[in-house]
Amino acid sequence: MKLQRMNRRALTLGALAVSGALALTACGSDDTGNGGDSSASSTAAAGNIKCDDAKGQLLADGSSAQKNAIDAWVKQFSAACGVQINYKGGGSGAGVTAFTQGQVPFAGSDSALKPEEVTASKEVCSGGQGIDLPMVGGPIAVGFNVSGVDKLTLDAPTLAKIFNNEITNWNDEAIKKLNPGVELPNLKIQAFHRSDESGTTDNFTKYLIATAKSDFPYEGGKAWQAKGGQSAPQSSGVAQQVKQTNGAIGYFELSYAKDGINTVALDTGASAPVEATIDNATKAIADAKVIGTGKDLALQLNYATKADGAYPMVLVTYEIVCDKGNKADTLPATKAFLRYIASEDGQKILAENDYAPIPDDIIAKVRTTIESLS
């Protein structure tokens, strides 16, 4: 009997050791061969999360551009606080609609609320209104798939003509002029845009309108307005079409430019073409100005910058939330989650996932505003 008890105890200790090892692996132990990858720092970040009274579940919707960032944040926050967050990522238009209809406590949008959307939000924010909190930055990458071509430079007028169906072949003289020495094939251009209302579309077209208005004569907005081209839903859908279609070009947030998708360098008039990178996007976002009033922190981006190393085709995703009148059952979890993603640890996760952190002076204002939510 004594021997049986000892064997049972040994088995129990062995099981505990295995489960402990698995837990450490799941949390991102450095003993994985990846050395300094993001998992170790993300695990440290999870230990600093302030949960307060957060509990239950949160349903949110909005920008698909920020979904990869949200997924990384949710993984850490849920592990620390036990709150389940379901972020659908159905696009900025869907997110704003869900918010103004009172279906979600917060939404993600790559465009600040319009006046009519602020008015609609007052119906669900008792005694308050929806406000914009800039939380995620990053370049809008223009991905391309042209056989035999792995580097490509385009400027705003040429991009505008491509997406306005005025340049339709890859060996067009305008493209050849920007890419001396590159063997461009006689291949039809397949331009892909978003089929859903999208803040990525809004920011992409704002860039074209600001820098090539005569070649892109549209008002802009979340819905695609130019003629021609093909459409796909959400950033992931556009990226998938570009990846599988020879001759394709499309726009999406940099984190979707994975698995061999090449991206365009922009000729902005700077001393050299500018690549779509996190650091280059941060240089452009740092030039933004806060134009929101009260607790609203909407930004005005400088799409026409010609500063060396500044990639101007950027977006900032806002988390939209009520400044006052949040529902009592979701406020603690919403506030705790927003506090975490705006924290130093939360913002560090962005760079680890191909996003640009919000500049220090702006994110400091965001943190102050989050603490005042009621």
Side-chain angles (χ1 to χ4, degrees):
M1 290 296 293
K2 183 176 180 182
L3 181 60
Q4 289 176 340
R5 285 196 301 272
M6 290 176 66
N7 286 338
R8 284 198 299 271
R9 183 169 182 270
L11 286 170
T12 301
L13 290 172
L16 288 171
V18 171
S19 64
L22 289 172
L24 285 171
T25 301
C27 290
S29 168
D30 278 338
D31 192 22
T32 60
N34 292 330
D37 73 356
S38 64
S39 58
S41 58
S42 297
T43 305
N48 297 329
I49 296 174
K50 184 179 179 183
C51 301
D52 287 344
D53 297 322
K55 58 184 178 181
Q57 302 181 26
L58 286 180
L59 176 64
D61 198 0
S63 164
S64 65
Q66 73 164 2
K67 191 174 188 309
N68 291 337
I70 290 284
D71 288 347
W73 280 329
V74 166
K75 182 178 180 181
Q76 301 301 321
F77 183 78
S78 295
C81 301
V83 176
Q84 181 180 346
I85 300 177
N86 180 9
Y87 182 81
K88 294 172 65 176
S92 297
V96 171
T97 298
F99 177 76
T100 56
Q101 291 181 351
Q103 298 171 2
V104 295
F106 77 92
S109 176
D110 306 324
S111 301
L113 290 170
K114 297 177 181 177
E116 62 269 25
E117 292 168 342
V118 173
T119 299
S121 74
K122 293 179 181 179
E123 297 295 321
V124 296
C125 301
S126 180
Q129 66 177 52
I131 57 172
D132 303 287
L133 301 178
M135 203 72 76
V136 181
I140 299 173
V142 177
F144 67 95
N145 179 356
V146 180
S147 56
V149 179
D150 56 9
K151 289 186 178 298
L152 188 70
T153 297
L154 296 174
D155 59 12
T158 307
L159 264 177
K161 290 174 183 175
I162 288 172
F163 280 92
N164 198 28
N165 205 35
E166 292 179 4
I167 292 179
T168 58
N169 203 286
W170 280 109
N171 66 351
D172 188 276
E173 287 300 320
I175 302 176
K176 290 168 66 175
K177 185 177 179 180
L178 291 164
N179 295 274
V182 176
E183 192 68 32
L184 292 162
N186 182 12
L187 177 68
K188 182 181 178 182
I189 294 174
Q190 309 276 356
F192 286 90
H193 57 263
R194 290 280 289 271
S195 60
D196 53 322
E197 288 199 355
S198 160
T200 310
T201 293
D202 191 14
N203 285 277
F204 177 64
T205 55
K206 279 179 179 175
Y207 169 76
L208 295 180
I209 292 166
T211 55
K213 178 65 175 176
S214 61
D215 298 306
F216 201 80
Y218 303 97
E219 294 180 0
K222 293 177 184 176
W224 185 257
Q225 298 169 349
K227 61 185 179 182
Q230 303 177 62
S231 64
Q234 304 171 358
S235 294
S236 57
V238 174
Q240 182 180 12
Q241 291 298 323
V242 170
K243 184 178 179 181
Q244 67 188 23
T245 306
N246 187 28
I249 187 169
Y251 59 91
F252 34 79
E253 209 280 331
L254 181 62
S255 67
Y256 290 90
K258 300 288 189 182
D259 302 325
I261 297 180
N262 295 311
T263 60
V264 168
L266 290 180
D267 183 344
T268 64
S271 60
V274 187
E275 301 283 349
T277 69
I278 297 305
D279 288 343
N280 292 345
T282 298
K283 291 177 183 177
I285 295 171
D287 198 27
K289 297 179 181 178
V290 175
I291 58 171
T293 58
K295 294 182 179 179
D296 186 83
L297 297 173
L299 301 177
Q300 183 179 62
L301 298 167
N302 181 10
Y303 296 103
T305 181
K306 295 181 180 180
D308 284 349
Y311 184 87
M313 194 190 299
V314 295
L315 60 77
V316 169
T317 292
Y318 301 93
E319 309 312 328
I320 296 170
V321 66
C322 296
D323 58 354
K324 296 178 183 178
N326 289 278
K327 294 178 181 178
D329 58 338
T330 57
L331 176 60
T334 299
K335 197 168 180 177
F337 182 64
L338 294 177
R339 178 189 294 121
Y340 162 59
I341 67 179
S343 71
E344 184 176 345
D345 288 332
Q347 289 289 297
K348 281 181 180 178
I349 284 182
L350 291 177
E352 297 167 4
N353 289 275
D354 295 321
Y355 293 94
I358 300 300
D360 290 343
D361 57 337
I362 298 173
I363 202 67
K365 296 176 182 177
V366 172
R367 292 167 184 157
T368 299
T369 301
I370 290 170
E371 295 308 320
S372 71
L373 299 179
S374 62

